[in-house]
Amino acid sequence: MTQSIRDRADTIATFRWVSVHLMETLARWVPSTPELEVKILFGRHIWEFAQHADALGRRTAELRAPLHFTLAPVNAYAAVLEELATVKGTAERLHGLYQAIIPDLEARYHRYLGETNRLLDEPSVRIIDRILADLARLQADAAETAGVRPDLRLADPKWPERLRTRALEVASFVASRSGSLAEVV
């Protein structure tokens, strides 16, 4: 499947939106998370998502979109992310982000890599490869933190899987733009 430059820019811009959203979600969670180990984990990962958003935002300009162009995902996907953002319990936050949303995001990055022309879109490929390595490390960090805090058990152990299933049901999370780029930004 051949993607146009606009299609690639829109997908990269949507990945950027998700990175910014996750960064902001973690930033809102840090003050209300009482467990020090998890608070530190979230704090470190805010920086990681900020780095991803910055790299993706610079790439949008190379794809003929404005610098740091951001495109919100389709409503169904945004609703899944918002459900995660509004959970109150530390266990739900920890397991929801690292066992549901990040694995879904990894799958979307892999799908993008499988659909893009790796030669023509090499800068995107390099950025995404770095992000995928970071996401694997973030999940390992979270698993280590959960191992230190076995008291962080979910009241509903199946909730992360249901959240991930809802995310997976959104086949394409990229919303279509209407009008010119100048109108969308």
Side-chain angles (χ1 to χ4, degrees), residues 17-178:
W17 186 97
V18 172
S19 293
V20 169
H21 183 80
L22 293 175
M23 174 188 67
E24 292 172 345
T25 297
L26 287 171
R28 284 191 306 276
W29 286 353
V30 167
S32 62
T33 300
E35 297 83 2
L36 183 60
E37 299 87 350
V38 180
K39 186 183 294 271
I40 291 169
L41 176 82
F42 290 165
R44 286 193 342 254
H45 293 177
I46 290 168
W47 184 84
E48 298 285 355
F49 284 115
Q51 296 301 305
H52 300 168
D54 183 58
L56 294 164
R58 282 184 276 118
R59 181 64 182 140
T60 61
E62 297 167 353
L63 292 169
R64 301 183 192 155
L67 181 65
H68 296 297
F69 174 57
T70 304
L71 184 63
V74 296
N75 290 337
Y77 196 79
V80 172
L81 295 177
E82 192 54 35
E83 179 181 339
L84 174 68
T86 59
V87 297
K88 301 294 182 214
T90 302
E92 288 75 15
R93 291 172 174 178
L94 187 66
H95 296 285
L97 177 61
Y98 297 98
Q99 293 177 5
I101 298 304
I102 289 180
D104 176 72
L105 192 54
E106 285 176 318
R108 290 176 191 283
Y109 279 123
H110 281 294
R111 189 174 316 125
Y112 180 88
L113 291 176
E115 293 174 356
T116 197
N117 180 312
R118 294 181 78 87
L119 179 62
L120 295 177
D121 197 18
E122 184 178 4
S124 299
V125 170
R126 286 177 175 232
I127 291 166
I128 291 170
D129 282 344
R130 280 187 230 126
I131 290 171
L132 285 168
D134 288 346
L135 293 178
R137 186 174 28 77
L138 269 57
Q139 288 176 296
D141 290 350
E144 182 179 336
T145 300
V148 173
R149 293 299 308 250
D151 57 315
L152 294 176
R153 289 191 179 30
L154 290 167
D156 178 1
K158 295 186 184 238
W159 177 76
E161 188 55 40
R162 285 196 309 275
L163 187 67
R164 184 168 184 207
T165 299
R166 283 190 43 229
L168 287 170
E169 288 171 353
V170 181
S172 175
F173 75 151
V174 179
S176 62
R177 301 187 246 171
S178 59

